[in-house]
Amino acid sequence: MNREVGRVQPRALPAGAGRADAQNPEVSLVSRFRDEVWDFSNENRNPAAGSADKQIRWSFGMQGGGLFTDAPFRSLLTASKQFIYALRWHPLDEPPFAPASLRTPFRSLKRFIAHLVSYLHPILRFKDVLPHHCEDYIEEILSSDAKNHWKYSHVHVLQKLFQYRHMMEDGLVIDPLEGRLAANIASRNAGSSFESKTQIIPEEILRPLVRASLQHVDQLADYLLDASEKVEEIRNRKPSAHVQHYGTQCLRQHAPSGYQLAGTRLENGLRSLRQLSRELSYLQTACFVLIAFATGMRLSELLSLRAGCCKTETRPGQPDLVWLHSRVFKMQGVPDGRKAKWLGGPLCAKAVQVLERLGRSVRGRARVSYLWMPIPAVYRRYTPRAPLLGPSILQRLTRFMALLELKDSGGRPFHIHPHMFRRSFARYVVRHDTTNLLALKEHFKHISLSMTGYYVGNDLELWMLMEEETEKVSLESFDKALRADQMAGPGGARLKKKIDQAIAEGRLEKEFRGEAGDHLRKRMIRDLVESGQRIYPCAASNYCWFRSESALCTEGNRPILKHCHPGACLNSIITLEHKPHWEKVHHDCEELMKQKPQAEPYQKALRDIHAVSSKILRDLR
């Protein structure tokens, strides 16, 4: 039985909990109220969180020296503990806080406490807090450059402190927000949205990152894994004192010539066990990049993958579906999460195979099945029994980015964290025309917007991200079509003619297509969207300014993108952005025609494609 569910919950903390003779109830399976560290490791087994993320440490440093557990802060300490304890065990008009969620109000509370003791005459009890203390704090929070969700959480803790004042020995006496809602205060300068906006990995970073990860899995993996297994054999046969000598000798004899590594970083082979360990770490990180980007899984879900997690579902007359089985932790309310599966693809299957082989020896010695295990130790037979945690993944991603020399616009190493892959996944599924650029065409060959349901499943957050990206795509596509001065396709020719005529007659300003006309286009786009019109990207070939009455493919009020006829449909708009696609189509068609195929239907199809692509390229000149 799960002890979290089966045990008797602690009783309410009495008002005199700060006295020496007070009860000392359980806070978690291993911690009690008076402890300086509240440890929730047994209640929170999320592998994405490090050990520090599963603890609340009350002995944090204070401004001017000393610790929060020192005698002068005893009243604040006791009241703060009672507040956090109540959120977990005795919530008011809300579900109890999960152990993983308690650190959010705790961090915000720490900042408010630091503010109170920073005054010339420090405030050492919550009941001594006055309105101007709260006004100063709120102004400090709102004037920072932090994101709006950060501002909200730090203002919201004041609202919570007042709400739970009767659960605390020395609670607030005044309402710090004066009857206002934290959401309204925090969004003062940002409209109604104070939601976290994780950055999307820009294409100039994502493209080389994915290409390098593909190279590791496709080209370098076999060589590195063969080398690792040979060293493992030596480790099993030789005394530990001789492993370095014989292992290094083995690596230098492990010729790279049979692995097609010319032009890669390993074309001259491996020279040391330390280099092997480093390269295996890069290989593991490359697998993480590919799976994270190709599935949109959260970090906790990725780190919960185990050997054998990849399953292929075969259906007659349909493409195979590759599923990754793992566990969901967010909002599940149980320490080990709940079982779930995600649509992967052949690329994910290959990355999982690499990881299974990479960690086979470590998993065997530890008798565990975790997929993400530490790299086999170079010099000793240390056998870790736990999977990698979130901080380790973040560290490895940082090192991988440094290896690839990927930098931001300021020339600094690009900062990347795992959740950015989730947002980027949503964008590239919606804008799936760019997967060809990312060398993921094979992986995404079965994806269309109608496949979104496979990916999203019951993941409401991911569905919302995709909806948000769909809206962005439509708005951006409208703007690209309206400002283009070279267009092809039936719809493009018609749109260009209308805009040219409107400019000539003075109904549109001459700078409509330029930067000066940005505000005019935005106003027009808003009117178009409000009237129900939409533009859809159709792979890399064209845009579809959808009108059901002129569509050659339709599914109610939207097109069937995989059935698009860009050269014939009146909704098709082709811009210079799509020119590389049509140049490739034209070139490939000519190469096939040179082979002089015998079948007349095939010849006719090639002639038709050649004629369509030729006309499109002429119109785009």
Side-chain angles (χ1 to χ4, degrees):
M1 176 183 291
N2 188 324
R3 292 182 62 191
E4 174 74 0
V5 177
R7 70 187 177 92
V8 178
Q9 292 189 355
R11 290 174 293 174
L13 193 63
R19 299 195 304 268
D21 60 346
Q23 296 180 3
N24 189 24
E26 292 183 10
V27 172
S28 69
L29 292 178
V30 296
S31 301
R32 290 186 173 272
F33 182 83
R34 293 181 187 174
D35 294 347
E36 291 188 0
V37 178
W38 289 2
D39 191 332
F40 296 99
S41 298
N42 287 298
E43 290 80 7
N44 177 14
R45 300 195 187 101
N46 184 340
S51 57
D53 295 323
K54 300 175 182 179
Q55 297 175 343
I56 290 179
R57 293 184 173 271
W58 294 105
S59 57
F60 53 86
M62 301 297 291
Q63 184 177 345
L67 300 174
F68 188 51
T69 49
D70 292 345
F73 310 110
R74 185 170 298 155
S75 175
L76 281 175
L77 173 64
T78 300
S80 298
K81 283 188 170 184
Q82 290 170 335
F83 170 59
I84 299 297
Y85 180 89
L87 292 177
R88 170 66 178 144
W89 292 110
H90 302 286
L92 301 175
D93 300 323
E94 61 182 339
F97 272 56
S101 304
L102 286 176
R103 278 178 57 83
T104 298
F106 171 69
R107 284 193 295 262
S108 302
L109 181 63
K110 282 174 61 177
R111 189 175 184 92
F112 183 53
I113 291 169
H115 172 79
L116 294 179
V117 301
S118 68
Y119 285 95
L120 181 61
H121 301 289
I123 311 302
L124 299 179
R125 298 185 303 179
F126 283 125
K127 69 179 181 180
D128 294 335
V129 173
L130 298 175
H132 74 273
H133 298 137
C134 299
E135 291 171 4
D136 293 344
Y137 173 75
I138 292 171
E139 189 58 38
E140 174 189 316
I141 294 298
L142 297 185
S143 62
S144 73
D145 295 328
K147 294 182 178 180
N148 288 319
H149 79 282
W150 181 90
K151 295 179 182 179
Y152 168 73
S153 65
H154 283 74
V155 174
H156 189 232
V157 76
L158 301 187
Q159 184 175 312
K160 286 288 184 187
L161 280 171
F162 185 67
Q163 180 185 1
Y164 282 79
R165 62 192 183 279
H166 300 303
M167 309 290 286
M168 301 155 64
E169 191 171 271
D170 288 317
L172 292 173
V173 176
I174 55 99
D175 181 356
L177 304 188
E178 299 178 336
R180 296 172 294 170
L181 294 177
N184 295 336
I185 296 174
S187 60
R188 182 179 71 185
N189 300 320
S192 60
S193 175
F194 48 88
E195 197 176 348
S196 172
K197 296 293 184 183
T198 303
Q199 182 184 357
I200 290 172
I201 306 172
E203 188 173 316
E204 61 270 20
I205 297 294
L206 187 60
R207 185 189 303 183
L209 175 61
V210 172
R211 285 195 184 280
S213 300
L214 282 166
Q215 184 190 51
H216 275 76
V217 171
D218 285 337
Q219 286 186 266
L220 308 184
D222 286 341
Y223 173 70
L224 291 172
L225 294 174
D226 286 348
S228 177
E229 288 169 357
K230 288 184 177 181
V231 171
E232 185 65 23
E233 291 176 5
I234 292 173
R235 186 181 285 113
N236 292 333
R237 294 197 319 265
K238 302 289 184 181
S240 57
H242 298 161
V243 169
Q244 182 175 359
H245 170 74
Y246 286 104
T248 302
Q249 188 179 62
C250 171
L251 290 180
R252 294 178 179 179
Q253 294 173 352
H254 183 53
S257 55
Y259 292 90
Q260 299 180 346
L261 299 180
T264 71
R265 193 175 63 259
L266 298 179
E267 62 179 341
N268 295 321
L270 295 163
R271 309 304 297 169
S272 68
L273 294 180
R274 189 177 299 278
Q275 183 187 6
L276 171 62
S277 180
R278 185 169 60 248
E279 293 295 340
L280 290 175
S281 177
Y282 292 146
L283 176 62
Q284 191 178 52
T285 307
C287 292
F288 180 89
V289 169
L290 295 178
I291 297 174
F293 175 55
T295 63
M297 296 168 72
R298 300 181 183 92
L299 178 60
S300 56
E301 297 154 0
L302 287 161
L303 296 185
S304 299
L305 292 170
R306 297 184 178 237
C309 65
C310 189
K311 307 292 184 183
T312 301
E313 179 182 333
T314 302
R315 296 180 181 179
Q318 296 186 24
D320 292 346
L321 297 178
V322 178
W323 296 97
L324 299 187
H325 293 252
S326 185
R327 307 189 77 87
V328 179
F329 287 86
K330 188 169 183 179
M331 306 297 289
Q332 298 304 305
V334 290
D336 292 312
R338 300 188 189 280
K339 293 181 179 180
K341 64 180 182 179
W342 288 260
L343 186 64
L347 187 66
C348 285
K350 189 166 187 178
V352 168
Q353 289 172 2
V354 169
L355 291 169
E356 288 178 336
R357 188 178 169 192
L358 174 60
R360 185 178 298 148
S361 61
V362 178
R363 282 194 301 273
R365 291 198 297 270
R367 297 181 181 179
V368 296
S369 60
Y370 302 115
L371 193 61
W372 303 96
M373 293 296 290
I375 300 301
V378 175
Y379 301 117
R380 59 192 187 280
R381 290 181 59 85
Y382 165 68
T383 302
R385 297 186 180 278
L388 292 176
L389 298 177
S392 298
I393 293 295
L394 183 59
Q395 184 181 60
R396 290 175 186 230
L397 282 171
T398 301
R399 291 173 180 169
F400 197 50
M401 299 296 282
L403 169 73
L404 303 180
E405 298 182 342
L406 296 177
K407 303 181 184 299
D408 61 20
S409 57
R412 298 177 296 272
F414 185 84
H415 175 68
I416 194 168
H417 61 83
H419 200 67
M420 294 169 72
F421 289 100
R422 184 168 169 85
R423 282 199 67 91
S424 301
F425 166 83
R427 165 164 290 191
Y428 285 98
V429 167
V430 172
R431 307 174 187 225
H432 62 290
D433 56 310
T434 51
T435 56
N436 200 20
L437 297 175
L438 293 165
L440 289 174
K441 182 179 180 181
E442 179 65 22
H443 172 58
F444 280 119
K445 65 183 177 181
H446 301 314
I447 290 181
S448 65
L449 293 181
S450 62
M451 290 283 284
T452 301
Y454 277 120
Y455 280 92
V456 174
N458 295 321
D459 194 334
L460 178 62
E461 177 191 330
L462 189 55
W463 177 83
M464 292 175 67
L465 287 176
M466 289 189 177
E467 286 294 300
E468 179 183 321
E469 285 302 321
T470 300
E471 291 300 317
K472 288 181 181 178
V473 168
S474 185
L475 295 175
E476 291 174 10
S477 301
F478 266 124
D479 190 62
K480 289 177 180 179
L482 291 174
R483 72 170 185 251
D485 55 2
Q486 290 178 273
M487 285 186 276
R494 182 174 60 181
L495 178 61
K496 182 177 185 304
K497 182 179 179 180
K498 284 185 176 182
I499 294 177
D500 288 346
Q501 186 174 351
I503 292 175
E505 295 174 355
R507 289 182 285 112
L508 286 177
E509 297 183 20
K510 291 183 178 180
E511 63 271 19
F512 176 77
R513 287 190 173 108
E515 291 185 14
D518 184 60
H519 67 287
L520 298 173
R521 295 195 304 274
K522 284 183 178 178
R523 189 166 63 228
M524 182 180 291
I525 291 169
R526 185 179 63 245
D527 293 341
L528 290 168
V529 172
E530 288 178 355
S531 69
Q533 297 196 45
R534 294 287 296 273
I535 280 188
Y536 300 88
C538 301
S541 59
N542 64 303
Y543 294 125
C544 172
W545 190 321
F546 183 71
R547 298 176 181 84
S548 58
E549 65 275 9
S550 56
L552 295 184
C553 65
T554 180
E555 190 175 60
N557 61 350
R558 64 185 301 162
I560 306 174
L561 300 182
K562 60 185 178 182
H563 293 163
C564 182
H565 299 277
C569 183
L570 291 174
N571 294 341
S572 173
I573 297 174
I574 302 171
T575 69
L576 288 175
E577 176 185 355
H578 306 109
K579 187 175 181 180
H581 168 83
W582 291 104
E583 287 176 335
K584 185 176 187 306
V585 169
H586 189 264
H587 175 267
D588 291 349
C589 187
E590 289 186 337
E591 290 298 312
L592 290 171
M593 292 173 74
K594 288 179 182 178
Q595 298 177 16
K596 299 181 179 179
Q598 299 299 313
E600 175 57 30
Y602 190 47
Q603 293 178 14
K604 183 179 184 304
L606 288 176
R607 289 196 298 269
D608 291 344
I609 295 171
H610 188 267
V612 169
S613 59
S614 297
K615 184 179 187 312
I616 289 171
L617 293 174
R618 283 197 304 271
D619 292 341
L620 290 177
R621 288 197 184 105

